[in-house]
Amino acid sequence: MPDRTESESRKLLRRLRDTLAEPGAGQERLDRITHLIADSMRSEVCSIYLFRDDETLELCATEGLKPESVHKTRMRLGEGLVGRVAKSSVPVNTANAPAEKGFRYMPETGEEIYSSFLGVPIQRLGEKLGVLVVQSKQARLFSDDEIYALEVVAMVLAEMTELGAFVGEGEALSALHQQPVLYKGATGQEGAAEGKVWLHEPRVVITNPVGDDPKKERARLKEAVEQLRFSVDAMLTMTDGQDKEQSQVLEAYRMFANSRGWMRRMEEDIARGLSAEAAVEKEQSAARARLESVPDPYLRDRLHDLDDLSNRLLRILTGQGADTGAEMPENPILVARNIGPAELLDYGRKLSGIVLEEGSVGSHAAVVARALAIPLVIHAERITTEALNGDAILVDGDQGVVHLRPEDTVAAAFRDKIAMQAEAQSRYASLRDLPATAKCGTTIALHMNAGLMADLPSLAGSGAEGVGLFRTELQFLIRAHVPKRGELADIYSGVLDAAKGKRVVFRTLDIGSDKVLPYMKRVEEPNPAMGWRAIRVALDKPGVMRMQLQALLRAAKGRPLSVMFPFIAEFDEFRTARQMLLDEVKRERQFGHQLPGALEIGAMLETPSLAFAPKEFFELADFISIGGNDLKQFFFAADRENEQVRRRYDMLNASFLSFIRQIVARCEEARTELSFCGEDAGRPIEALCLAALGLRTLSMRPASIGPVKHLIRRVDLTELREVIDRECASGVTNIRAGVMNWLSTQDI
C-alpha cells in the first residue's frame, strides 16, 4: 500500500467530516466511519472500541469483523493488543498480531485471519475514550504516515465523542458528561456541601477539528502564537525579576512559545488536515500522555508548563477565555486542577466547597480552605475533564469523596447527613457560653485555630475561649512580594482587636515543605516535610523572622502577646529563636516603642526529639503546644500526604498515648502550660482521651468546638483515665474499642 500523502490525509479528514455531518444515530455514524477508514486506508478491517466503564472496552463498530460481535466483544484494560493500547496510550503496530505477546483470540469476531494490526488510542487531553484499530491479511508493518493518519482520525473521533456525536444505546455509547461519577480523593478540609460545579478554568470546546485551508490555518496559528509570545514577554516584564519562581515559570513558557519543534509539529498537523485548534490540542494531548509516564518532578513541571501554555493558546484561537460570561451558580463548588491561595481568597466565602485534582493536606489551598471553613477534597483525579459548569455535585470532605451528578437516592442520603450536622450544630449552640467542664469537675479550655481575619467572627460564635494557633504564613503566601512590616503590624493588631481581649497565640512563619512563598526560591528536597522548613528557614534566613517579630511587638500596643515558634526539634533552636525575640524587645524599648503588657514565648512540639529535650527547655518555655498532625506522622513514620499509610495509624494507639503521657508528665514537672493542636483535637473521642490524659487546653477548627464540648460535659474524665490505663495495661495495641464500649454505658 502506498504512503498516505498530505493531500490524501486531508481528503480522509474531509470525508470523515462530511460523514459526521450526515444525519443519523450514533451507531449509524460509527458504522459509516469504520467503512470509510477501511476504504481510505485500503485495509480489510477497521474497528472502534470505546470504554463502557473505567476498566472495560467494548467493540462498538467494525468493518470486516463479524457484525454480530458488535456490543458483545469486550475486554479488560490491558487485555489483548487493544487493551494494551488503551492502557499505555501508545500505538501498537505489528505484522504478525497472533504471534504478539498478549494477543487475545476472540473467535466471535473472526479476527484470527488478519495478520497485520495497528491500534491507536482515542483520547482527549489525557482522558481515555477508546481504541481505533485497522487490520489486514497481508503480513506487513503499517508505515509512519499511516500511523499518523490513524492518530489524526482518532483525535477527531475523540472531539466528536466529546460533542456527543456517537450517543446510542448501551454504556459504551452513553452521552458524556451526563452520567453519575464517584471520585474517591482525600480529605483536605472536613465538612459536607451540596451545590453546582463552577470550573476555575472552563474547558475549551473545539467544534472545528478539520481544516479546509491549510494556508489559512497556519496563518491563524502563527498569529495566535505571536500573541501568546507577546503576552508572556509582557508578564516577564511585569515581574521584573522580583518573583524568581514566577519568572522561572514564565521563562519556561517563553522557551516553549519560541520552540521551533513545537511550532513545526503543529504546522505538520495542519498540513495533514487539522484545524489550528485541533493541531494545538493534539500536541497538548501528547504532552499529557508523556506527563503520566515521567517520574522526574522537574520534567513533570515542564510538561505542566507546556500544558498550561497550550491552554492559553487554545483560548486565543477559540476566543473562549476564562470569563465565559456565565453567572456563578448558587452554592458554587469550585472545581480545578489546582489553585493558588490568592486566587482562592478572591472567591472567599462565596464558595460552598472545593474539589481539586492535585493539592495536599498541607498545601496553600488547604490552609485557606481550613481558614474559611470550606469543605475541600483533593486528589479527585480527572474531575476537570468530566465536570461541566452547573453540574450537580456533592462534596464529602469528611470521607474525601465527591459525587458528580449524583443519583436521587445518593443526593437524598447526603442531604440527610447535612441536615443532621446542621441540627447537631444548632444543639451545640446552646452550649456556646458554657464551660467544657466534665462531670468530675475538670474544665478543659477549648480554643480555635485561625489564619485569616475572616476567621475571627467564629471566635464568639463557636464558643472558643481564644485562638490557640494563628497561622501567620497565610499573609505571606497570598502576596507576590514580602509584606512590609507596617502591613503586618496592622494585620496582627486587627486580629488582637477582633479577639476582644481573648488570648491569641501567634505562630511565626511555618514555610517550606509544601508551603513555599511565591518569592522564595524553591529548594528541591526528597522529603520536604522533614527538610528545610519552619524554624530551620527562619534561623538560616533571620531577616524576615526579625521583621515579623517587630511587627508582632508593635501590633500588641501594650496588650499581652503570645508568640510560638514552629517545628522545634532541639533545645538550641528554641533558645536561639527566643533570644531573637528578646533582642527585638530590647531594640523596641531603645526606640521608645510601646511594648506588650506581657510576653509569652512558646514552642510547638512536633518532633519526637523535642519530647526528650533537657529539663531546661521545659522550664524556659512559657508554654508548649503539641502539633498533633506532624508529631503523629513522625512518630509512626507515616507520611500524612500518603493515602496508603496516613489512615493506617490511629491516635488511640497505646504506644502513641504512652508518648503523650510522657510529654504531659514533663510539662507538669516543669509547671509549663501544655496544649494540643491538630485534627485529633477536634475529634470528640480523641479529644476526650487527650483530656483524660491530662491535656487541659485543646485547639481545633471552630466547627469542632461544639461536638467536643458536648461530649466532655457528659463524662467523668477520672473514670475514662482508669479505662485507658486498664486498656493499655492489658497489652492491646489500640484502646479505641475499649473506650467506645465504656462510652456506650454512659448517659450521652
Side-chain angles (χ1 to χ4, degrees), residues 55-68:
E55 296 292 326
T56 312
L57 287 152
E58 182 176 297
L59 177 62
C60 290
T62 187
E63 172 77 14
L65 298 183
K66 293 180 179 178
E68 56 267 29

Side-chain angles (χ1 to χ4, degrees), residues 510-577:
D510 185 0
I511 55 173
S513 185
D514 51 7
K515 295 195 287 288
V516 180
L517 301 182
Y519 38 84
M520 185 177 88
K521 184 177 180 181
R522 181 183 292 272
V523 178
E524 294 297 337
E525 299 178 281
N527 192 341
M530 300 178 72
W532 194 57
R533 54 174 287 205
I535 197 65
R536 297 168 181 176
V537 177
L539 296 180
D540 288 351
K541 304 282 187 181
V544 174
M545 167 95 130
R546 288 201 171 97
M547 183 269 288
Q548 185 184 26
L549 295 176
Q550 292 165 11
L552 285 166
L553 291 169
R554 295 181 187 184
K557 297 178 181 178
R559 293 170 289 192
L561 178 66
S562 298
V563 178
M564 177 167 64
F565 296 110
F567 207 63
I568 301 293
E570 60 180 15
F571 182 26
D572 280 349
E573 290 174 339
F574 176 72
R575 187 157 41 196
T576 303

